[in-house]
Amino acid sequence: MHEPRDEFLSEEDLALRELSYEELIAYWNLWLRLAQSTNDVDEATDEHGVFLRDPAVDERRARAMRERG
């Protein structure tokens, strides 16, 4: 069996291992606050990395499905 490798992680990702519990929680809380600060900007879309959903397209798709029965 091969040992897992960290080749896809950045130096910053790997440095998380070196943080104290308090530092880790502080960064986690900062990340959560930053993520919440964009809610009003992206409320009409669902973004997940490279995926972006347009509510108008979703509505057209739902309407087409209802019409097909």
Side-chain angles (χ1 to χ4, degrees):
M1 176 181 260
H2 295 286
E3 195 67 29
R5 296 178 52 185
D6 295 330
E7 62 191 64
F8 295 107
L9 299 175
S10 70
E11 292 299 318
E12 293 162 339
D13 292 333
L14 297 173
L16 291 176
R17 295 178 182 154
E18 300 169 11
L19 297 177
S20 70
Y21 179 76
E22 291 78 17
E23 291 170 320
L24 188 60
I25 295 300
Y27 276 111
W28 178 251
N29 288 335
L30 173 62
W31 180 85
L32 289 173
R33 283 193 299 276
L34 290 172
Q36 290 298 309
S37 70
T38 64
N39 282 347
D40 59 337
V41 176
D42 57 15
E43 66 184 351
T45 62
D46 294 326
E47 287 189 43
H48 302 285
V50 297
F51 303 108
L52 179 63
R53 291 180 50 197
D54 182 343
V57 172
D58 289 344
E59 178 55 35
R60 287 193 303 269
R61 184 176 295 128
R63 190 177 318 121
M65 293 298 287
R66 285 192 301 268
E67 289 172 359
R68 287 184 192 162

